[in-house]
Amino acid sequence: MIRLNRLSMHYTLGAARIDILREVELHIGAGERIAIAGPSGSGKSSLLLLLAGLERPGAGSVEFDGVALDRQSSDQLADLRRDHMGIVFQSFHLVPSLSALDNAALPLEIAGRRDARARAQTLLEKIGLGQRLDHYPAQLSGGEQQRVAIARALVHRPKLVLADEPTGNLDDRTGAAVGELLLQLNAESNTTLVLVTHDMNFANRCDRVLRLHEGRLTEVTAPREHDHAHAV
């Protein structure tokens, strides 16, 4: 599903060069659930942006389902995200002027699907928001807003879900419930999940946990159902 080939990225700050990623190699199979941990500022969010085609690497390449992202135009990347990716952010990023239902239906509306609202309603009802369909983001709790954001990311049944600290703005109890929901929905839809989190309890529910430190990616746990470690 995903191949990172000698992926490197850096920023220039004044006269200083800051290496975010250093020749990262990673293969992720279809249906895998991968958690990426590491200290703040280690480049975890930058790695997700590269996977989504929202940033361009300094060197190396990102392949998604056989497509080299660096060879795609901005329009082609936008189409790829619309059709095959779902993204969940720490800060929800819901549209304030749209109801929960319309926010969740947005990817399907953009794709011109006539059943957009019906599919979004079914998913929102499934995750306990059936009574909140017409509420606007400002009328929802943080946990409810994040559940709407998860529904929006999964409503079009994407091949890949990217989640950047999806429980980071929630209290522990709400965060645990939202994390459980994300993993449950992901398992049911058999999508590939790449998750950035500081919560190791959440991370350890995934198939593999990878640590990003000083631009290098290393594996810190073996898959849950196997005793041997995979090579990154």
Side-chain angles (χ1 to χ4, degrees):
M1 175 65 72
I2 297 170
R3 286 178 177 268
L4 307 185
N5 302 303
R6 302 189 70 179
L7 190 69
S8 297
M9 183 180 184
H10 71 274
Y11 294 122
T12 301
L13 193 61
R17 169 180 164 136
I18 302 170
D19 287 304
I20 303 297
L21 301 171
R22 302 169 187 249
E23 296 195 345
V24 170
E25 297 272 347
L26 176 64
H27 297 169
I28 300 174
E32 269 200 284
R33 301 196 292 191
I34 304 295
I36 300 173
S40 296
S42 61
K44 302 184 301 297
S45 295
S46 295
L47 181 55
L48 281 197
L49 293 175
L50 288 165
L51 290 175
L54 290 166
E55 289 271 10
R56 301 273 184 172
S61 64
V62 179
E63 292 182 22
F64 169 70
D65 210 18
V67 175
L69 298 190
D70 56 301
R71 297 178 187 169
Q72 306 301 299
S73 68
S74 295
D75 286 345
Q76 287 172 319
L77 289 170
D79 289 346
L80 194 69
R81 284 191 293 271
R82 180 196 68 199
D83 295 337
H84 301 300
M85 296 184 186
I87 305 175
V88 184
F89 299 98
Q90 179 176 346
S91 300
F92 318 141
H93 288 298
L94 299 178
V95 180
S97 59
L98 295 182
S99 67
L101 178 59
D102 287 332
N103 264 287
L106 199 54
L108 292 177
E109 294 277 10
I110 292 171
R113 291 289 299 262
R114 293 183 178 180
D115 60 348
R117 287 168 63 84
R119 278 179 52 177
Q121 180 172 340
T122 297
L123 185 50
L124 288 171
E125 289 173 348
K126 180 176 182 178
I127 63 176
L129 293 177
Q131 304 302 313
R132 311 291 258 164
L133 301 178
D134 297 324
H135 287 67
Y136 292 92
Q139 299 171 306
L140 303 173
S141 70
E144 288 170 335
Q145 290 185 63
Q146 191 59 299
R147 278 189 277 165
V148 173
I150 289 170
R152 179 184 60 189
L154 292 173
V155 71
H156 59 303
R157 297 168 189 159
K159 293 180 179 180
L160 173 65
V161 174
L162 303 170
D164 189 2
E165 294 282 4
T167 62
N169 278 339
L170 306 174
D171 62 71
D172 289 347
R173 182 177 176 181
T174 304
V178 166
E180 179 67 31
L181 172 68
L182 179 60
L183 293 172
Q184 174 192 334
L185 293 177
N186 181 260
E188 290 174 2
S189 57
N190 197 37
T191 57
T192 303
L193 173 66
V194 181
L195 164 75
V196 162
T197 184
H198 282 100
D199 182 347
M200 291 309 296
N201 288 327
F202 190 14
N204 286 328
R205 300 284 306 282
C206 293
D207 300 312
R208 287 193 279 162
V209 180
L210 309 176
R211 179 173 174 80
L212 188 60
H213 182 61
E214 295 184 349
R216 306 288 186 186
L217 200 59
T218 56
E219 186 157 334
V220 295
T221 66
R224 289 169 302 167
E225 297 176 0
H226 302 277
D227 293 326
H228 62 278
H230 279 223
V232 175

